[in-house]
Amino acid sequence: MHLSIKKLDLYIARRFIVTFFVAIILIIGIIIIFDISEKIDYFVQNEAPLNEIIFTYYLNFVPKFINMFSPLFVFITVIFFTSMLASNSEIIAILSGGISYHRMMVPYLVSALLIALLSLGLNLYVIPRSNLKVVEFEAKYVKRHNEYKRSNIHYQIAPGQFVFVSYFRPWSNTAERITLETVEGHRIVSKLSAETAVWDSAYGGWHMQGYTRREYSRGLGDKVVSGTQLDTIIPLTVTDFYRNEKTVETLPINQLNELIDTQRMRGDDNIIYAQIEKHTRYALPFSALILTVIGVSLSSRKKRGAAGWNIGIGIALAFSYILFLRFSQMFVFTGTLPPGLALWLPNVLYTIIAAFLYRMAPK
């Protein structure tokens, strides 16, 4: 019995993993073909080298889409080969051999767990670095307008320190009409203003032109100093002006956590993009386990006229689950739910559905 169970585990796990990766490879091939047809004009016009197209762009393009489509293809894989097992009466033979339905689920869940861990590793460490190379390639060879905030920028750059920039010129790394305020309690103690501030990467600071510094006293003797140029280092770098919703996709998890801490301290509204990215990276891999349970529960029965109906229900649940994962972000943007709750809500809801279907399946 021990040997037969071991063979059964290997048989189910092998079919699960092989079918999953074959399906993923096929769909990635189709996606690449469509992407080439969409961008071929840009590649030709901007003279993108073939080796960069293949090894810089598409080699780093693939991990993101493998991970994006993995929940759907986990489900399709489970539905496909479990339905074949059921139609060939193999599941009946397994259960008749003394192996319980719960024991039969073990290789399914182990395989799904391996895929979930692979997805988690890709999300946290591999895909951000790949996304960075893809973004750099597209900026160089694919003309896409990359939006980021340029005007009326207001940050808390440190406790009690606030900066306001009227406009940022990216082509010269220049901030126009910049003001730095230092606040103690409810009182402004100093204000530094300048017509322009130019970022110097070698210096690691700003060259302020036409500056005025005012030190506020509690009486009438405020101290005011003006000048033509002032070099200063503050907790604000030029990269802060280039951050947008795409930036968070290029950061490994440790840098993403640091960005969230910085944006929370600054009161930056863009923090929601980083929070959504973080919770999505952790929540998405769990879909492999949830959809595996749903898929097996609905496709393991052999009933005349009911198999197609069960599979149809399963596919509808899978697509609704994946759509729910995407639309849950809207709860964050509208302020309805905090990011953690909104991004994990689909997992909680469909775990309950999966548990119900799993409980009913052996009957």
Side-chain angles (χ1 to χ4, degrees):
M1 177 64 70
H2 177 74
L3 183 62
S4 63
I5 290 179
K6 185 176 180 180
K7 287 182 177 179
L8 174 65
D9 290 339
L10 292 175
Y11 175 67
I12 292 177
R14 184 173 61 251
R15 293 196 64 175
F16 192 148
I17 299 295
V18 170
T19 306
F20 171 77
F21 280 104
V22 168
I24 283 289
I25 290 171
L26 289 175
I27 192 63
I28 290 299
I30 295 172
I31 290 171
I32 289 175
I33 291 172
F34 278 101
D35 192 73
I36 290 175
S37 65
E38 179 186 349
K39 297 188 176 72
I40 187 66
D41 290 339
Y42 292 114
F43 295 159
V44 173
Q45 291 171 10
N46 298 316
E47 299 179 350
L50 182 60
N51 64 318
E52 288 196 42
I53 294 173
I54 296 173
F55 297 108
T56 301
Y57 184 62
Y58 283 110
L59 193 63
N60 291 289
F61 173 92
V62 167
K64 177 180 179 178
F65 281 88
I66 287 178
N67 207 49
M68 182 183 298
F69 288 99
S70 63
L72 179 61
F73 279 91
V74 163
F75 180 78
I76 291 176
T77 296
V78 171
I79 284 284
F80 177 73
F81 83 82
T82 305
S83 296
M84 292 189 65
L85 291 178
S87 63
N88 294 330
S89 300
E90 292 180 77
I91 291 180
I92 294 175
I94 291 170
L95 298 178
S96 300
I99 298 174
S100 69
Y101 190 87
H102 304 301
R103 180 60 184 82
M104 185 190 72
M105 284 293 298
V106 171
Y108 281 101
L109 294 176
V110 170
S111 301
L113 179 61
L114 291 175
I115 292 173
L117 291 175
L118 173 63
S119 175
L120 184 62
L122 290 173
N123 269 339
L124 298 183
Y125 304 106
V126 177
I127 291 176
R129 292 183 173 89
S130 297
N131 283 343
L132 179 59
K133 294 179 180 179
V134 169
V135 168
E136 291 174 347
F137 178 91
E138 289 184 338
K140 188 176 181 180
Y141 297 111
V142 181
K143 294 181 180 179
R144 288 187 169 183
H145 186 55
N146 195 16
E147 290 290 344
Y148 48 86
K149 194 170 184 180
R150 293 186 181 182
S151 60
N152 297 324
I153 302 162
H154 190 200
Y155 286 142
Q156 177 178 311
I157 57 175
Q161 278 193 309
F162 300 86
V163 66
F164 174 80
V165 175
S166 178
Y167 188 79
F168 177 72
R169 296 200 304 261
W171 51 89
S172 58
N173 287 336
T174 301
E176 295 183 355
R177 295 186 294 281
I178 182 171
T179 300
L180 178 66
E181 295 180 348
T182 302
V183 178
E184 292 181 1
H186 300 287
R187 175 175 166 267
I188 298 177
V189 296
S190 68
K191 179 185 289 187
L192 174 62
S193 302
E195 289 298 318
T196 61
V198 181
W199 173 254
D200 186 337
S201 57
Y203 168 61
W206 299 88
H207 300 305
M208 292 188 169
Q209 307 288 336
Y211 75 92
T212 299
R213 174 183 286 151
R214 180 183 293 270
E215 304 287 342
Y216 294 93
S217 66
R218 293 188 179 274
L220 301 176
D222 294 349
K223 181 180 179 182
V224 181
V225 178
S226 299
T228 56
Q229 182 170 322
L230 175 69
D231 296 339
T232 184
I233 297 176
I234 58 176
L236 181 75
T237 68
V238 71
T239 56
D240 292 311
F241 295 100
Y242 287 95
R243 289 196 177 115
N244 63 7
E245 61 270 24
K246 290 293 183 183
T247 304
V248 296
E249 298 178 3
T250 67
L251 299 178
I253 190 62
N254 57 329
Q255 295 179 23
L256 185 63
N257 286 330
E258 291 173 3
L259 176 61
I260 290 173
D261 292 339
T262 300
Q263 290 181 324
R264 182 179 291 114
M265 182 270 295
R266 291 178 174 179
D268 190 345
D269 292 338
N270 289 327
I271 191 174
I272 61 173
Y273 295 111
Q275 291 174 327
I276 287 173
E277 177 69 17
K278 177 181 178 179
H279 288 290
T280 299
R281 291 186 189 183
Y282 284 106
L284 184 63
F286 281 88
S287 60
L289 293 166
I290 297 169
L291 292 176
T292 294
V293 174
I294 292 175
V296 176
S297 300
L298 291 173
S299 61
S300 58
R301 304 178 186 182
K302 184 181 180 181
K303 291 184 179 181
R304 183 171 299 176
W309 178 250
N310 288 333
I311 292 174
I313 294 174
I315 292 175
L317 284 172
F319 274 102
S320 64
Y321 176 45
I322 293 169
L323 286 173
F324 196 2
L325 283 173
R326 298 301 174 187
F327 280 109
S328 60
Q329 298 180 8
M330 298 306 299
F331 295 133
V332 183
F333 290 121
T334 58
T336 306
L337 294 174
L341 180 57
L343 273 301
W344 282 92
L345 184 60
N347 280 345
V348 173
L349 177 60
Y350 280 81
T351 296
I352 296 171
I353 295 173
F356 172 77
L357 293 173
Y358 179 72
R359 183 179 180 183
M360 298 298 294
K363 299 179 182 179

